[in-house]
Amino acid sequence: MPYTPFDLTGKVALVTGGNGGIGLGMAAALARADAHVVLWGTNPEKNARALAELESLGSGKVVEKLVDVSDETAVREGIDLIAEQFGRLDAAFANAGVGGGGVRSMQEIDEETYRRVLAVNLDGVFYTFRQAARQMLTQPSGGSLVGISSVAAVDGAPRAQHYAASKGAVIAMVKGVAVEYGRKGIRCNAVLPGWIRSDMTQGAQDSEVFTEKVISRVPAGRWGEKEDFGGIAVYLASDASVYQSGSVIVVDGGYTVF
């Protein structure tokens, strides 16, 4: 018989922040693997563009909803709607995140920015995991939870201590969820992107100095692209990853080991 664990036909996958960047790259691959894909974002125009881009890629349905993941009530209502529409949730990618504001020093990180970064990058992952797990616990098949962290969690990140702290906490949360829910058939893993082209890194992309000093050190020799996250997304949503849990998976072109 053919080996087809990466066929996601019938599976339902949620991608928070799925209307752009890494989230959109993941969502596109999930759609091509024939999953039903639910996109959450806070920008209606970006949601609409992402929906138009994805809805013809596979045999599954693609839907979008405006959800602010820093609001647990909104997250709960969003998960309830998924259950109502599809009857299940097989994978949830907690990808929504915001950057640190491009400050020149830790001393310039203001209270409002600090709280906003933690509210989206950390609280949003917690709320997404908790509410997605609530649904998955009702399913005999369990499910897959994925937190999008960052190499900033494991490397020193000057001028972005608030961002790095939020992403480091995601790794700790992933491990705790993996242990608590493993016997319930729910696995949980973290993905750590390196330097990836996105709206969040536009300033660095525009800097010749950054390209010369940082991107030149990436063994793969280039910026990462959103499409580079399609394979890991399909794998973690698929039956091929049912025994992988509590893992920290780095996708950075070799940057952190060089």
Side-chain angles (χ1 to χ4, degrees):
M1 295 179 63
Y3 181 69
T4 58
F6 302 109
D7 179 3
L8 302 183
T9 300
K11 291 187 180 293
V12 180
L14 163 67
V15 184
T16 73
N19 59 15
I22 291 170
L24 184 57
M26 289 181 158
L30 294 165
R32 287 192 175 96
D34 293 325
H36 302 301
V37 179
V38 180
L39 305 174
W40 285 0
T42 58
N43 184 310
E45 289 78 19
K46 287 183 66 176
N47 276 17
R49 287 197 298 270
L51 179 64
E53 180 178 334
L54 301 186
E55 57 187 353
S56 63
L57 294 182
S59 63
K61 296 179 180 178
V62 181
V63 299
E64 58 84 17
K65 182 173 174 57
L66 293 174
V67 176
D68 179 353
V69 296
S70 69
D71 178 354
E72 189 168 19
T73 298
V75 173
R76 171 182 282 271
E77 291 173 351
I79 296 295
D80 287 344
L81 182 60
I82 292 171
E84 179 183 324
Q85 289 178 309
F86 297 101
R88 60 186 301 108
L89 175 60
D90 299 286
F93 293 83
N95 166 75
V98 294
V103 297
R104 294 175 295 177
S105 166
M106 180 180 180
Q107 303 302 322
E108 296 182 7
I109 301 172
D110 61 78
E111 177 77 8
E112 182 180 357
T113 300
Y114 175 79
R115 295 297 175 190
R116 177 60 178 165
V117 167
L118 266 65
V120 177
N121 296 3
L122 179 56
D123 298 352
V125 174
F126 177 76
Y127 298 150
T128 301
F129 280 177
R130 179 154 69 177
Q131 295 304 326
R134 175 175 60 87
Q135 169 59 33
M136 291 174 180
L137 287 168
T138 70
Q139 304 169 180
S141 58
S144 175
L145 300 173
V146 182
I148 308 306
S149 178
S150 168
V151 296
V154 294
D155 289 343
R159 301 175 298 281
Q161 291 85 355
H162 50 339
Y163 178 81
S166 71
K167 294 301 187 177
V170 167
I171 295 175
M173 189 187 307
V174 159
K175 293 179 179 180
V177 172
V179 172
E180 180 172 350
Y181 289 113
R183 286 180 172 81
K184 302 293 185 181
I186 298 174
R187 58 199 187 274
C188 189
N189 294 284
V191 173
L192 278 60
W195 291 107
I196 313 302
R197 291 188 193 276
S198 69
D199 292 343
M200 191 183 298
T201 61
Q202 189 60 58
Q205 292 174 54
D206 294 338
S207 169
E208 293 184 8
V209 172
F210 187 89
T211 299
E212 178 185 351
K213 300 296 185 181
V214 179
I215 301 305
S216 65
R217 293 186 62 248
V218 177
R222 63 175 176 83
W223 281 89
E225 305 289 349
K226 64 180 184 295
E227 292 80 9
D228 293 322
F229 293 83
I232 196 65
V234 172
Y235 168 68
L236 291 175
S238 76
D239 294 340
S241 64
V242 292
Y243 200 60
Q244 181 151 9
S245 195
S247 298
V248 176
I249 304 168
V250 178
V251 183
D252 69 347
Y255 181 76
T256 56
V257 298
F258 180 55

